Amino acid sequence: MSDIAERVKKIVVEHLGVEEAKVTENASFIDDLGADSLDTVELVMAFEEEFGVEIPDDAAEKILTVKDAIDFIKANTAA
Amino acid sequence: MRRVVVTGIGMVTPLGVGVQNNWTRLIEGESGIRGIQSFDVSDLPAKIAGQVPRGETSSGLFNPDDYVPPKDQRKMDEFIVLAMAAAKESIADSGWVPPDDEARERTGVLVGSGIGGLPSIADGAVTLHEKGPRRISPFFIPQSLINLASGHISIAHGFKGPNHSVVTACSTGAHAIGDAARLIMWDDADVMIAGGTEAAVSRLGIAGFAAARALSTNFNDRPSAASRPYDRDRDGFVMGEGAGVVVLEELEHAKRRGAKIYAEVVGYGMSGDAYHITSPPDDGNGAFRSMRAALKRAGIGTDGIDYINAHGTSTPLGDEIELGAVKRLFGADIGTVSMSSTKSAIGHLLGAAGAVEAIYCIKAITDGVVPPTLNLENPSEGCLGVDLVPKTSKEKRVRAALSNSFGFGGTNASLIFREFA
């Protein structure tokens, strides 16, 4: 598992207060991990901070699962 | 008019968590005023405050994790967490668990704050300045808004009745309890969770009140001696933080479920000074009219009041003006009433003060003890001729107690609680 995936999952665990085991790649923030719409905004901000990327609002709206976040960050950060 | 009684009490103050813990320490004459350790005070003129002591709940200390899950604490300024703690104690104490939806819809919340999320607003402004608008949290607004104390309490406990809040500076807690009692009297609810909360002890809060020349600055090296209402050496108030929440209930509703009844809310009076933004008028007529209105509503004379919990913040002007108004109102009955300022022990809890002090009044009634005015060594000239309960508490039957709260803007509120036999 890549370093990016680990860091994304760590942020999700911290911000949503969920067990690490529940944070699978296919887990949906809202449907599976108990987030509300404000939580998802804050999560995206945390990803931006952690990875030094800017996630525009239209892209943020499409980040619904852990995998979505990992894929976006992989595609938008210098390896 | 429907009668309203108090069936639950809860508080968090600089003396610790819980009413009984607070009361024991209060009547033993302990002080909750300390040097501020939680932020830099090197450039502030006032370096002391009444801060809620942190630690394990079993020791009577405050552990926010016991009231709000850590992940949710980020979404609330401290004043909300303190309110949640006081509400939890108060609701549990009352034993009130609405059995059905109708009962939930007849249970409301009215908790106010004088200032609200000042630390969160200060931090948010710095973030905006240093990092720009994209770094402002989506929780910034809901964590700072004053009525979110009532909002969070209602969400946590499922109370769907009137959801309201009060913002009247240092009269907030008293107004919240008085207004909530009226909602019950007017049949808008059967049970109301009411009180005040404040957590503005922060660099910006201290700087602001110090700039208004309201704070004590002569006792930074002797924190527990700084809040000294009526004493000739008093030089301003000491900021405090905390929350007080009561459960108010319609009398027959309380009786039907066999609830423990602490006291009855019999009097509530209000007035405006129409004078100055921070100073009371010399003749204290706003205070006088507020107390007089509460007595009239209660239908009892000054000879029926055995204890007054004063606003008494320890400012050079305010203490004597309030006392002057009390003397004029009570006339010959001034000889039998006891009046003390519990701000001498916990500082000035601003929007929470009226609620915490209302609970101290209720405890004075139920326990037959009046709490002391600490540090009252030498009353100033205008503070003679009244029993101000200097330094040590004393046993005394309290049939009814009056609690005064006066706020910036010239807003005054007085509550009267009577023993329930």
Side-chain angles (χ1 to χ4, degrees):
Chain A
M1 200 172 286
S2 75
D3 175 48
I4 285 176
E6 285 303 317
R7 285 156 72 193
V8 164
K9 287 181 181 179
K10 186 161 175 282
I11 288 170
V12 173
V13 166
E14 280 172 6
H15 278 258
L16 300 183
V18 290
E19 286 170 32
E20 209 174 329
K22 283 190 168 178
V23 187
T24 60
E25 297 220 344
N26 291 323
S28 153
F29 298 127
I30 290 177
D31 295 336
D32 301 318
L33 302 176
D36 63 21
S37 59
L38 297 182
D39 289 319
T40 60
V41 175
E42 201 188 40
L43 263 185
V44 166
M45 286 174 59
F47 297 144
E48 288 184 324
E49 189 106 327
E50 171 75 15
F51 297 101
V53 292
E54 186 164 321
I55 306 178
D57 286 352
D58 55 346
E61 281 168 19
K62 291 176 189 136
I63 298 178
L64 304 176
T65 66
V66 175
K67 185 171 185 298
D68 292 340
I70 294 168
D71 289 348
F72 181 92
I73 292 159
K74 276 183 182 166
N76 289 276
T77 49
Chain B
M1 201 67 81
R2 290 161 27 116
R3 293 169 67 184
V4 178
V5 292
V6 179
T7 56
I9 48 181
M11 64 169 61
V12 182
T13 81
L15 286 176
V17 175
V19 172
Q20 199 49 50
N21 174 39
N22 255 269
W23 184 247
T24 302
R25 299 187 64 192
L26 182 72
I27 60 177
E28 282 172 1
E30 291 185 37
S31 168
I33 312 297
R34 307 271 186 278
I36 295 169
Q37 307 290 335
S38 55
F39 53 87
D40 179 22
V41 291
S42 58
D43 56 353
L44 295 171
K47 305 178 194 301
I48 57 174
Q51 291 181 285
V52 169
R54 304 302 185 110
E56 283 311 309
T57 307
S58 55
S59 313
L61 305 176
F62 182 64
N63 179 1
D65 297 357
D66 290 343
Y67 312 101
V68 178
K71 76 179 173 68
D72 291 331
Q73 288 171 29
R74 276 200 326 274
K75 305 174 184 176
M76 303 179 194
D77 188 274
E78 185 85 356
F79 80 99
I80 298 175
V81 182
L82 293 173
M84 293 282 278
K88 185 176 180 183
E89 179 190 7
S90 187
I91 294 163
D93 181 46
S94 76
W96 174 236
V97 181
D100 52 30
D101 253 341
E102 192 186 343
R104 278 185 281 277
E105 290 167 12
R106 295 286 295 171
T107 303
V109 187
L110 205 175
V111 174
S113 178
I115 304 184
L118 190 68
S120 298
I121 294 169
D123 290 348
V126 170
T127 300
L128 180 66
H129 180 73
E130 290 180 349
K131 297 180 176 175
R134 286 183 56 82
R135 294 268 83 83
I136 295 294
S137 162
F139 299 109
F140 169 64
I141 297 296
Q143 80 188 153
S144 311
L145 292 181
I146 284 177
N147 71 297
L148 266 278
S150 289
H152 277 290
I153 291 166
S154 74
I155 293 165
H157 297 275
F159 300 149
K160 298 179 174 177
N163 199 269
H164 200 348
S165 192
V166 169
V167 184
T168 49
C170 307
S171 296
T172 297
H175 275 135
I177 291 172
D179 289 355
R182 291 201 171 169
L183 290 177
I184 295 172
M185 288 174 187
W186 279 90
D187 204 14
D188 292 306
D190 292 324
V191 181
M192 289 294 299
I193 315 307
T197 182
E198 203 76 82
V201 177
S202 59
R203 275 179 61 76
L204 186 55
I206 296 269
F209 279 109
R213 301 295 183 267
L215 299 181
S216 168
T217 56
N218 289 343
F219 295 87
N220 286 328
D221 55 341
R222 286 193 296 147
S224 64
S227 186
R228 43 196 315 117
Y230 317 112
D231 188 83
R232 69 184 180 200
D233 293 328
R234 68 187 185 273
D235 72 323
F237 76 77
V238 176
M239 276 185 81
E241 64 184 8
V245 173
V246 297
V247 175
L248 302 177
E249 192 164 348
E250 193 270 324
L251 174 60
E252 298 306 322
H253 188 278
K255 278 183 177 171
R256 272 198 302 277
R257 68 181 187 93
K260 159 182 82 254
I261 294 174
Y262 285 100
E264 180 171 2
V265 186
V266 290
Y268 176 36
M270 293 163 277
S271 71
D273 287 340
Y275 178 71
H276 186 267
I277 51 173
T278 60
S279 299
D282 288 341
D283 64 1
N285 77 79
F288 182 92
R289 288 181 289 110
S290 173
M291 289 185 279
R292 188 180 60 186
L295 281 165
K296 183 184 172 193
R297 180 66 59 184
I300 53 181
T302 48
D303 60 344
I305 303 289
D306 295 314
Y307 173 60
I308 301 171
N309 188 296
H311 184 59
T313 59
S314 188
T315 57
L317 268 180
D319 290 4
E320 288 188 20
I321 290 174
E322 179 186 13
L323 195 49
V326 169
K327 284 179 178 174
R328 281 198 305 287
L329 183 66
F330 276 64
D333 294 329
I334 199 72
T336 53
V337 72
S338 297
M339 169 163 152
S340 66
S341 169
T342 47
K343 290 186 178 78
S344 60
I346 60 174
H348 190 353
L349 270 53
L350 309 174
V356 166
E357 292 162 13
I359 295 171
Y360 289 157
C361 282
I362 291 162
K363 286 296 285 179
I365 291 169
T366 57
D367 290 32
V369 181
V370 291
T373 302
L374 302 186
N375 302 310
L376 180 48
E377 308 278 353
N378 302 291
S380 61
E381 214 166 288
C383 299
L384 298 169
V386 183
D387 173 25
L388 296 169
V389 202
K391 293 165 72 170
T392 49
S393 58
K394 68 175 190 185
E395 292 188 9
K396 176 178 182 173
R397 181 182 173 205
V398 179
R399 294 164 298 161
L402 168 73
S403 183
N404 277 337
S405 297
F406 311 136
F408 277 7
T411 173
N412 313 299
S414 301
L415 291 168
I416 297 175
F417 298 91
R418 187 165 61 195
E419 65 183 353
F420 189 83

